[in-house]
Amino acid sequence: MKYAVRSSLVFCLGFAGPVVAQTAQDGFYTNGYAELSYFDLGGTNRTDGYSEATLGYVDAGSGFGAEFGVDALITTEEDEAAIYGAATYQSRFGKLSFGVPRAALDAYFANVPTVGGMLPFKIGQVGAAKRSFVTATYLLDDEVPLGLRYDGTFGTTNLGASYHRFDDLDVYNLAANHQFGQTMVMGGLEHVADTAARETRYFLGVEATLGQVAAGLLYSGNFDFSDNSAVEAYAKYKPLEQLELAATALNLETGSGSDMLFGLSADYSFNQGAYLKAGVADDFETGNSTAYNLALGLRF
């Protein structure tokens, strides 16, 4: 266990208090979630705890502030946590973060749903199609990625860039999204380099919204540094303000061929940030391949 993970999860739940209504311009601000998830695949099941949480403060007069973040995972086999912390400065030109900031890439693909809403598909290989190498590596490794990050907004365009230095490699993130009316275009690059090799992952997506329905497509190239690619098509529907239904189809192209994975999920929000989520996923090719998920969580 890299850190006291159970204490980290309790602390994350504590974020969802009186500061939740504040914004980055008001002083303290929070964002993230913590959930308890039950997952079953072919009769083999597991219950995991997971959280991604950020607590920050900015002084409205000077623009200086700080952020503290925790990603925490508890399973029957392991407990892992990644601790983020950065000094920040905000101005009309954007936001700078110095120290151990989160990777920029993840924030710009946050709208793309996880297959079946399932935790193993978020933090495993499937999730690598829209998750930074920094985020995945730091959660499971003891090396602390020092770095810096920039986020800026220019009209309807949001732009983010970050640099992270592990003990033996450098990671560069560049991501952006642009809003054309009811359509959003997303793109990103992640470059990883050490003394022996250099690899680049790239991402391109689009999402269109019509009333209560949003549909999108995300392409990920070289997403696991093996010349593999992934295409995810998805649709989200909100029949009620508290309820979101999602359908996903993910095609993975690898050296051994292609695999399709389909998922359905439902997410119902209660008062004070609590939510209940259920999902199902299947590849419809192999026996005993249907996965089920049920999660109870808290957003803040």
Side-chain angles (χ1 to χ4, degrees), residues 233-270:
Y234 63 90
K236 299 179 289 185
Y237 173 54
K238 296 196 70 170
L240 303 171
E241 181 64 29
Q242 304 96 327
L243 176 65
E244 180 175 273
L245 307 177
T248 56
L250 177 66
N251 181 67
L252 300 173
E253 293 284 348
T254 66
S256 59
S258 63
D259 295 294
M260 286 289 296
L261 185 63
F262 302 90
L264 297 171
S265 65
D267 186 318
Y268 188 86
S269 299
F270 300 93

Side-chain angles (χ1 to χ4, degrees), residues 128-300:
K130 50 182 178 287
R131 188 174 174 86
S132 170
F133 171 83
V134 175
T135 309
T137 301
Y138 186 29
L139 180 63
L140 303 176
D141 196 274
D142 290 332
E143 296 183 17
V144 178
L146 297 175
L148 55 90
R149 173 173 167 173
Y150 168 79
D151 295 275
T153 299
F154 307 91
T156 57
T157 300
N158 299 302
L159 174 68
S162 61
Y163 164 75
H164 311 266
R165 174 66 182 176
F166 287 92
D167 288 351
D168 57 352
L169 53 84
D170 299 296
V171 184
Y172 304 86
N173 274 201
L174 178 64
N177 58 48
H178 180 78
Q179 193 79 32
F180 295 96
Q182 298 301 307
T183 301
M184 176 183 291
V185 177
M186 305 165 280
L189 294 171
E190 183 167 60
H191 183 72
V192 178
D194 61 16
T195 56
R198 296 173 179 269
E199 292 282 356
T200 301
R201 313 192 313 155
Y202 43 96
F203 310 83
L204 183 63
V206 61
E207 180 178 295
T209 302
L210 181 61
Q212 298 166 290
V213 178
L217 190 69
L218 175 66
Y219 171 79
S220 308
N222 198 27
F223 70 87
D224 59 356
F225 305 114
S226 302
D227 294 324
N228 298 341
S229 63
V231 178
E232 180 174 349
Y234 63 90
K236 299 179 289 185
Y237 173 54
K238 296 196 70 170
L240 303 171
E241 181 64 29
Q242 304 96 327
L243 176 65
E244 180 175 273
L245 307 177
T248 56
L250 177 66
N251 181 67
L252 300 173
E253 293 284 348
T254 66
S256 59
S258 63
D259 295 294
M260 286 289 296
L261 185 63
F262 302 90
L264 297 171
S265 65
D267 186 318
Y268 188 86
S269 299
F270 300 93
N271 293 331
Q272 306 301 319
Y275 65 90
L276 180 65
K277 182 168 59 177
V280 60
D282 205 315
D283 62 9
F284 296 108
E285 293 184 3
T286 58
N288 297 320
S289 61
T290 303
Y292 302 93
N293 182 75
L294 183 64
L296 179 64
L298 186 66
R299 296 188 181 96
F300 35 88

